[in-house]
């Protein structure tokens, strides 16, 4: 039995030292020390020994077990350390490798322009109001003093959503004037930015969807001078203090008098060139004093109050501002183009 025990010890020690993993080591432990293990099997035979032999063999058996357990512990520690080292090596981070750069985006030039216009007016105390893109013809045209026969109502210009031409994709942000005036009494000072839609073919200066910013001021004693002041402020903010501004008579059904506002051509400085088609000036927006009929329709007393309104195309502003010659560039989402701004 003594040789048997000795054999077991030697085999176990050798096996533990050669174990390649903790799992393998555990298998070996069960094989030797487990309930059905080799050592356990031998110890079960102890009962058969004589009274003299038993303490002697017992001591050998105990020493044997202690050695095996110690060897097991050592092998385990060694394997765990090796595993940890391997993991540390595998997971090592090289802090000197250059990182992957995060591409930083920025606002689209149209958003940039719209934000700047909005900031100019909020700084002057205007409130920003949002409104529906699907609108009633009543608000887009009728209440804005636009006769039933007006060409702007034409099916070929306007996306109607119903046969009866009562509902449409708004062709301008001007209906927001009516919506605001119907809901409150002066003083009113608002801008309303948003999308508008017209049946235009896509080309260098047209798109069936574009952006406008509407403005409206109504109070006692508002004059054309206030209109000129507010719009000049906006234009100088966008194009610089030196820019020359021109107010040119025009017609809109909902303003009287009406005007269009031009800036001196950025390309030729007013001499006349291809960009301004020889005019020396570039048209920016429509504007005017709110027509007394419109005030009255919206429940505001035209004898007490007056106001001015304007509507500016944001694509046009953006193109003038950044000298972009083709509107399509603004919608193509080509990064090579957009990155320039
Ligand atoms: N709605 C006009 C357009 O789309 C622009 C405009 C002109 C707006 C005169 C106004 C205004 O508020 O008073 O061309």
């Amino acid at each position: 039995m003594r040789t048997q025990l000795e054999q077991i010890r030697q085999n176990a020690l050798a096996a533990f030292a050669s174990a390649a993993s903790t799992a393998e080591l555990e298998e070996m432990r069960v094989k030797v020390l487990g309930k059905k293990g080799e050592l356990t099997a031998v110890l079960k035979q102890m009962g058969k020994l004589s009274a003299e032999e038993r303490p002697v063999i017992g001591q050998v058996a105990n020493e044997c077990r202690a050695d095996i357990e110690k060897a097991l512990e050592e092998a385990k520690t060694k394997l765990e350390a090796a595993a940890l080292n391997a993991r540390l090596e595998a997971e090592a981070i090289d802090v000197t490798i250059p990182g992957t750069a995060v591409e930083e985006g920025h606002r689209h030039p149209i958003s940039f322009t719209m934000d700047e216009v909005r900031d100019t007016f909020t700084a002057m105390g205007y409130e920003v109001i949002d409104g529906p893109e699907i609108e009633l013809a009543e608000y887009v045209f009728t209440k804005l003093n636009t006769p039933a026969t007006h060409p702007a109502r034409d099916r070929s210009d306007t996306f109607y959503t119903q046969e009866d031409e009562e509902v449409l994709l708004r062709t301008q942000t001007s209906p927001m004037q009516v919506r605001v005036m119907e809901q409150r009494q002066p003083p009113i000072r608002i801008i309303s930015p948003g999308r508008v839609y017209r049946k235009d073919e896509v080309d260098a200066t047209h798109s069936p969807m574009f952006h406008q910013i509407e403005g409206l001021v109504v109070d006692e004693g508002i004059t054309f001078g206030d209109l000129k002041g507010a719009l000049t402020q906006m234009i100088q903010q966008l194009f610089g203090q030196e820019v020359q501004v021109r107010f040119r008579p025009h017609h809109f059904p909902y303003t009287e008098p009406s005007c269009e506002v031009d800036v001196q051509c950025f390309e030729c400085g007013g001499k006349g060139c291809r960009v301004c088609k020889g005019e020396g000036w570039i048209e920016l927006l429509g504007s005017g004093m709110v027509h007394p009929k419109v005030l009255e329709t919206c429940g505001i007393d035209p004898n007490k109050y007056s106001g001015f309104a304007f509507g500016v195309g944001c694509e046009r502003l953006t193109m003038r501002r950044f000298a972009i010659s083709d509107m399509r560039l603004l919608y193509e989402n080509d990064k090579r183009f957009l990155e320039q701004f």
Side-chain angles (χ1 to χ4, degrees), residues 99-300:
T100 321
V102 177
E103 242 185 291
E104 223 179 298
H106 61 72
R107 279 176 297 174
H108 189 277
I110 294 177
S111 302
F112 189 82
T113 307
M114 288 178 84
D115 286 353
E116 196 149 85
V117 172
R118 195 198 53 212
D119 290 350
T120 306
F121 284 104
T122 51
M124 292 193 279
Y126 289 59
E127 193 184 329
V128 182
I129 299 215
D130 203 14
E133 289 175 25
I134 301 173
E135 189 47 291
L136 299 170
E138 200 186 348
Y139 282 84
V140 181
F141 302 122
T142 316
K143 288 182 172 182
L144 284 170
N145 197 35
T146 308
T149 52
H150 197 279
R153 291 186 182 243
D154 206 285
R155 275 191 163 277
S156 60
D157 294 336
T158 302
F159 293 106
Y160 286 98
T161 64
Q162 298 180 171
E163 266 313 302
D164 61 11
E165 302 187 359
E166 297 278 341
V167 185
L168 60 140
L169 297 183
R170 65 180 179 187
T171 53
Q172 51 182 3
T173 43
S174 302
M176 287 310 293
Q177 293 183 31
V178 181
R179 289 197 171 270
V180 170
M181 284 192 282
E182 277 185 348
Q183 273 163 25
R184 37 173 121 165
Q185 283 294 306
I188 292 169
R189 236 192 260 163
I190 62 106
I191 54 164
S192 188
R195 291 196 174 94
V196 299
Y197 303 84
R198 290 182 195 174
K199 273 194 189 168
D200 282 326
E201 294 291 334
V202 175
D203 66 22
T205 53
H206 293 88
S207 158
M209 185 283 298
F210 58 103
H211 300 77
Q212 283 191 336
I213 298 176
E214 194 74 14
L216 173 70
V217 172
V218 186
D219 203 349
E220 284 182 52
I222 297 292
T223 68
F224 203 88
D226 296 309
L227 177 158
K228 286 179 81 174
L231 291 176
T232 305
Q233 175 74 25
M234 176 192 83
I235 292 165
Q236 286 181 342
Q237 188 83 28
L238 286 168
F239 298 94
Q241 296 294 318
E242 283 76 41
V243 71
Q244 292 294 310
V245 183
R246 177 173 82 169
F247 294 79
R248 175 171 42 80
H250 198 72
H251 170 78
F252 297 103
Y254 33 93
T255 42
E256 182 57 39
S258 306
C259 65
E260 278 190 332
V261 182
D262 305 333
V263 283
Q264 203 163 56
C265 179
F266 58 84
E267 183 70 26
C268 63
K271 286 192 214 78
C273 68
R274 216 164 43 92
V275 174
C276 58
K277 299 192 179 80
E279 289 283 319
W281 296 91
I282 290 170
E283 180 207 322
L284 275 191
L285 58 97
S287 177
M289 299 304 289
V290 181
H291 200 296
K293 268 196 190 165
V294 175
L295 290 174
E296 207 165 4
T297 304
C298 299
I300 289 173

Side-chain angles (χ1 to χ4, degrees), residues 308-329:
F308 69 84
F310 60 90
V312 51
C314 302
E315 276 74 358
R316 181 171 290 185
L317 273 193
T318 308
M319 289 168 72
R320 299 288 174 265
R321 176 118 196 266
F322 296 112
I324 297 167
S325 56
D326 194 320
M327 196 188 282
R328 287 168 288 202
L329 289 166

Side-chain angles (χ1 to χ4, degrees), residues 42-63:
V42 175
L43 293 177
K44 275 183 188 157
Q45 309 290 317
M46 294 278 284
K48 291 180 189 160
L49 294 174
S50 67
E52 298 85 63
E53 270 181 319
R54 207 174 297 153
V56 183
I57 297 295
Q59 203 189 336
V60 175
N62 279 341
E63 278 170 20

